[in-house]
Amino acid sequence: MANEIQAVKTQSPAGAEHTRDRKVFIPPVDIVESNDAIILTADMPGVDEKNVSVTLEKGVLSVLGEVEPAFVKDRKIAYAEYEIGDYERAFTLSDEIDQDRIEATVKNGVLRLVLPKTEAARARRIPVKTIH
């Protein structure tokens, strides 16, 4: 799996510049591999389908989630340990990922990316024959 997807250690994916003056977190991810695909889940609390973007450029898959702070009328925060900020992370994909069939969904602040493997990259069983 290490050859198929690698995290990019950059501040901004694909050379993007930050236009918002706020904290940007690197979302923690889990990566699971099956025979047909690699599934990546990223925890991005506060992100939904309206404020998340996934882009693929020159083999780099970039994820950006923007979170707006929620305010309640006539109340103010007296103390908070949870910080509000955006999320940003990028991954370099190998040629073993079918980049035309990548799917992205988000539910309850968890982004799920399905990265299908190319036919050549899939594990397959080789039949063993008996020699007489």
Side-chain angles (χ1 to χ4, degrees):
M1 180 166 42
N3 294 334
E4 296 157 341
I5 183 170
Q6 292 181 327
V8 176
K9 296 179 181 178
T10 61
Q11 293 292 325
S12 298
E17 292 187 31
H18 294 279
T19 57
R20 296 161 46 117
D21 184 26
R22 60 188 327 175
K23 287 190 173 191
V24 178
F25 299 102
I26 297 172
V29 298
D30 290 332
I31 300 174
V32 177
E33 182 176 14
S34 71
N35 186 40
D36 300 331
I38 293 175
I39 299 167
L40 184 151
T41 54
D43 289 335
M44 303 166 70
V47 170
D48 62 21
E49 73 278 0
K50 297 175 198 144
N51 53 21
V52 65
S53 68
V54 179
T55 58
L56 179 63
E57 183 178 349
K58 297 180 182 176
V60 177
L61 183 74
S62 301
V63 174
L64 174 64
E66 297 179 339
V67 178
E68 295 299 327
F71 297 102
V72 178
K73 186 178 179 182
D74 300 328
R75 293 185 184 175
K76 66 179 182 177
I77 296 175
Y79 176 76
E81 293 182 345
Y82 178 77
E83 293 182 82
I84 301 293
D86 296 337
Y87 298 94
E88 191 172 336
R89 192 148 182 190
F91 303 90
T92 300
L93 304 182
S94 77
D95 293 337
E96 295 180 354
I97 300 296
D98 186 346
Q99 298 180 6
D100 293 329
R101 296 190 313 130
I102 295 173
E103 296 178 9
T105 57
V106 65
K107 182 178 180 182
N108 297 330
V110 177
L111 177 67
R112 183 176 191 262
L113 297 168
V114 178
L115 311 171
K117 293 180 182 177
T118 61
E119 192 64 37
R122 293 182 184 173
R124 60 184 177 270
R125 186 176 201 101
I126 308 297
V128 178
K129 300 175 186 173
T130 302
I131 300 174
H132 298 281

